[in-house]
Amino acid sequence: MPFLWPLRGRASAAASRTQFMMNEVDIMRDGPYVWSKVTGQVTSVRSAGNHLQQDDSRPLKLPLFVTVPMVSSPTDAAPPGPFPVCVLLNGFQARASYYAPLARRLASWGYVVLQYNAPALTIIPDAAEMPYLGEAVRWLQAASSGEAAQPTLQGRADLNRLVVAGHSRGGKLAALHFCSGSVAGLPIRSAFLIDPVDNTAYTPESAAYPSASKALRAAGRRFGVAAAGLIGSANPEGSNWRLFEAAAAPGSWRLLLQRAGHTTFMKPPTGVEACLLDRIFGGGPLSRDTAVSVTAAAMLGWFGQELAQQPSGKHQGGSRTAAASAGSTSSVQAAAHGLGMPLAAAGLREAAAATAASTPEADLVQHSTKPAAGGVGTLSGPALAAAFQHWVTAAGDEAGVEFMVKS
C-alpha cells in the first residue's frame, strides 16, 4: 500500500537548536524529568545455545539496565509516575550502553526504559532469545511493586502500558514480541522498530529464525519504523526495513533518515567503538546525536499516539480495524487523563485540540540532566505526535528526513 502525508525536511545537530518549538518546549531535546539508572540481574534457565550447540541449556545470567524518570525536587510539578515502560532491545552483538543516549532521552520524557545484555560473542538463535524478555519483565514487575520493590522503582513502572522497541536484530525481536501480543502475561501495546533487519543469508528463515515481517503481515498490526537511507552489508536489500514497510498495516509511521547508516542509531561510550562499528557495519555522515534526537522524537510521538488510543486497556486493532483519529475528542481526553506529560502548555494544548526471578540490590546512579524550562502544563499523546510531524515539516540543515504515514 502507498504511504500518505510525505513530510520532507532536513535535520541537523545545529538545526536542532533553533528548530520547531512550541512554548519554549523543544521535542528534540531532553524532557522535563531527570533520570536515574537501576541495574539488576536475572538467571535464566533458557537455552543459551550457539551455532554449534543450539540445545545447550546452561544457566544464563542476564544483566539488566533500567533508566527511570525522576522529578528534580519535591516541589516539581511534574507527575512522579507511574510511567509507561519501553523495552529497548539491542542489535546483534550490541550492548545496552550503545543505546544509553536514546534510553536517557526517552526517560527524560516520562518512560521507564528496560534493557538487557545477552551474552557477548555467542550466537543465540532468535527463538532461543525470545524468552529472555519475559525474565526481564518479571524482574521489573517485582522490582517496582510489592515487598521486593526497589526504592527508585517503587510505583514508577506502569506495566499496563508496555511498549517494545529495538534496533537491527533487536527491531526484529521487538516485532516478534509485538506479534505475540504479550510478554510475562502483560499485553504489548505498541512497537517501534529502528532500522530493523529480518532473515538474511546467514540466518535463513527456520524455526530457530522466524520471519518478523511475515509475522507482522499475518497479524495486521501497525507500528513505527525509523530507517537508514544508506544500505550496506548489515541492512541488506531483501532483509531490511523495506520488508517491514511492506508488511505494515495502515496507520503505520515510517521515518527515513537519508544520510544515516545502520550504525548511526548507536552511540557507543567511546569513539574507537563507534569508528569500528561504522567501518564493519556501515555508518553515515549524519551525526549520531541527530539520529538519536530524531528517532527519540518519533518514538515519543508514535507511542504517545498509540497509548492514547488504548484508554480501556484493549489491544491495538489490526489492519482492518479503524484507528481512532488523533484529533478526536475521545483520544485527546484519554491522553489528557492517562498519558499527561508536564510541559509548557498553551500552544501544545491547541495542537492537541487541532490534531487530536531474582532481584539483586540495585546500583543507583543519579544524573544531572535539567528538566525542561518554562511553565508546566499537559502535553497529550496526540499533541506530541502533532509536534513531531510539525517538526519534520519545519526541520533543518544537513540531512534529509522523510516522514510518511501508511494509507
Side-chain angles (χ1 to χ4, degrees):
M1 287 187 178
F3 274 73
L4 295 178
W5 308 352
L7 305 177
R8 296 175 183 271
R10 299 177 69 80
S12 69
S16 68
R17 290 190 292 270
T18 56
Q19 67 201 350
F20 174 72
M21 296 168 66
M22 287 182 173
N23 262 18
E24 300 182 355
V25 173
D26 188 347
I27 62 170
M28 299 293 287
R29 292 184 178 273
D30 285 345
Y33 292 97
V34 298
W35 56 266
S36 291
K37 186 173 181 180
V38 175
T39 62
Q41 180 177 280
V42 292
T43 301
S44 174
V45 297
R46 306 296 182 180
S47 169
N50 55 42
H51 66 295
L52 297 176
Q53 296 176 299
Q54 291 195 9
D55 294 325
D56 184 7
S57 298
R58 295 167 296 173
L60 173 70
K61 291 185 177 180
L62 289 178
L64 305 179
F65 310 90
V66 187
T67 311
V68 189
M70 306 287 288
V71 294
S72 58
S73 72
T75 59
D76 198 321
F83 304 105
V85 175
C86 176
V87 172
L88 183 57
L89 299 172
N90 306 339
F92 176 68
Q93 294 294 309
R95 315 314 288 162
S97 60
Y98 295 2
Y99 306 98
L102 179 57
R104 292 194 293 263
R105 177 61 59 83
L106 295 175
S108 79
W109 286 89
Y111 281 79
V112 172
V113 183
L114 172 64
Q115 300 171 270
Y116 70 79
N117 276 342
L121 305 178
T122 302
I123 307 301
I124 304 172
D126 298 342
E129 185 167 340
M130 288 290 286
Y132 296 176
L133 183 55
E135 306 280 0
V137 168
R138 279 187 282 271
W139 178 92
L140 180 59
Q141 200 169 23
S144 58
S145 62
E147 295 180 0
Q150 303 288 349
T152 306
L153 286 168
Q154 177 79 51
R156 287 193 169 86
D158 182 358
L159 285 159
N160 252 336
R161 293 186 289 166
L162 177 66
V163 298
V164 291
H167 171 239
S168 189
R169 176 176 178 260
K172 175 185 180 179
L173 293 175
L176 290 171
H177 281 295
F178 184 44
C179 291
S180 76
S182 65
V183 61
L186 298 163
I188 299 174
R189 305 295 182 184
S190 187
F192 194 97
L193 317 179
I194 305 169
D195 210 32
V197 178
D198 207 352
N199 302 99
T200 68
Y202 302 102
T203 57
E205 185 180 356
S206 66
Y209 294 97
S211 169
S213 59
K214 287 184 178 179
L216 286 165
R217 187 185 298 276
R221 308 202 75 176
R222 63 181 181 266
F223 51 90
V225 178
L230 302 179
I231 306 304
S233 60
N235 58 348
E237 292 290 2
S239 300
N240 63 22
W241 59 269
R242 295 186 189 280
L243 274 182
F244 293 83
E245 174 186 76
S252 295
W253 284 14
R254 191 257 281 155
L255 177 74
L256 182 64
L257 283 66
Q258 301 278 12
R259 300 184 67 192
H262 190 61
T263 61
T264 309
F265 299 96
M266 298 187 282
K267 190 175 181 182
T270 70
V272 172
E273 290 175 280
C275 183
L276 285 173
L277 286 170
D278 287 350
R279 280 189 170 273
I280 297 171
F281 299 109
L286 184 67
S287 79
R288 285 179 160 80
D289 287 337
T290 299
V292 168
S293 293
V294 175
T295 302
M299 292 173 71
L300 291 165
W302 174 253
F303 287 144
Q305 169 188 285
E306 294 300 287
L307 289 173
Q309 291 177 5
Q310 300 179 53
S312 62
K314 296 179 180 178
H315 287 273
Q316 177 210 103
S319 61
R320 282 94 182 151
T321 302
S325 167
S328 69
T329 302
S330 61
S331 67
V332 171
Q333 288 176 341
H337 287 91
L339 199 71
M341 294 197 179
L343 292 172
L348 292 169
R349 279 201 294 264
E350 291 169 8
T355 310
S358 57
T359 308
E361 184 174 350
D363 174 25
L364 177 64
V365 180
Q366 187 70 38
H367 186 63
S368 61
T369 304
K370 300 297 183 184
V376 174
T378 296
L379 178 62
S380 72
L384 193 54
F388 170 70
Q389 292 181 20
H390 195 160
W391 175 83
V392 173
T393 305
D397 293 317
E398 285 181 40
V401 174
E402 178 185 282
F403 171 70
M404 294 187 179
V405 179
K406 195 167 187 180
S407 63

